[in-house]
Amino acid sequence: FTGSAFGSAAIWQYESLKSRVQTYFEGARADWMDKMRPQKRGDLRKQVNSWWNNLTEGQRTVTGIIAANVFVFCLWRLPGMRRIMFTYFTSNPSSRALCSPMLLSTFSHFSLFHMAANMYVLWSFSSSIVSLLGCEQFIAVYLSAGVISTFVSYVAKMATGRFEPSLGA
């Protein structure tokens, strides 16, 4: 998984750089068109765009991760989703589904405090790590760390004989 994550991140990083270069040259050619286009209306949209554009690349990257974690947290609150959530979003070495929970449990939190603390810590160091690694490599590290820590959890549960499901990486 880790090899695939970093390989995919390298391809994504290359394509992103290629796209930025193409956009730069197309933007230089089309600058005069922007002056002729009518401006879009909507204060909310402008405020959201302004907020989003003021975020660092790391904060934008982590915003997506936080959104995924909040979405999964909300799914835990739906009674009809409990069975699916326990099957795929908790890690348990005695479960019939072993691989997908290794990744999906990375986004799973049952306690609001646990999720808020984890997301705060992630937000606090995101800018420096993403500026060091790039957003693609950061996401590969995040996902790989989640899968590896779940695997270590599986090994620890097998060694101690405790087979209860757990959340998170």
Side-chain angles (χ1 to χ4, degrees):
F1 178 84
T2 300
S4 296
F6 281 100
S8 299
I11 293 168
W12 180 20
Q13 204 167 20
Y14 167 76
E15 292 295 330
S16 178
L17 180 61
K18 185 173 119 180
S19 174
R20 280 189 223 151
V21 170
Q22 287 174 342
T23 302
Y24 173 77
F25 286 116
E26 289 170 2
R29 207 172 6 165
D31 263 350
W32 65 274
M33 291 279 296
D34 288 338
K35 294 175 184 169
M36 296 176 66
R37 286 187 196 143
Q39 294 295 319
K40 295 181 182 177
R41 296 183 185 177
D43 284 339
L44 178 62
R45 182 177 178 172
K46 286 180 184 177
Q47 289 173 349
V48 170
N49 281 338
S50 175
W51 171 78
W52 183 257
N53 292 332
N54 287 331
L55 294 177
T56 65
E57 184 182 17
Q59 291 171 333
R60 283 189 218 133
T61 303
V62 171
T63 300
I65 294 172
I66 291 172
N69 279 276
V70 169
F71 179 72
V72 171
F73 179 78
C74 291
L75 288 177
W76 274 106
R77 302 299 173 254
L78 300 174
M81 292 296 294
R82 286 285 170 101
R83 187 174 192 176
I84 292 170
M85 298 305 289
F86 273 111
T87 302
Y88 295 105
F89 287 84
T90 60
S91 59
N92 187 353
S94 64
S95 174
R96 63 182 174 177
L98 288 176
C99 294
S100 56
M102 290 178 78
L103 176 63
L104 296 176
S105 68
T106 303
F107 299 95
S108 194
H109 300 84
F110 196 73
S111 160
L112 179 62
F113 178 75
H114 178 221
M115 183 187 68
N118 283 356
M119 296 305 104
Y120 174 74
V121 169
L122 186 64
W123 181 267
S124 67
F125 72 83
S126 63
S127 292
S128 57
I129 296 296
V130 170
S131 67
L132 181 68
L133 298 176
C135 79
E136 301 88 359
Q137 299 294 326
F138 172 75
I139 290 174
V141 167
Y142 179 82
L143 295 175
S144 295
V147 169
I148 290 169
S149 63
T150 303
F151 178 74
V152 170
S153 173
Y154 279 179
V155 171
K157 287 177 182 180
M158 296 294 284
T160 60
R162 296 182 179 177
F163 297 106
E164 67 270 354
S166 59
L167 294 170

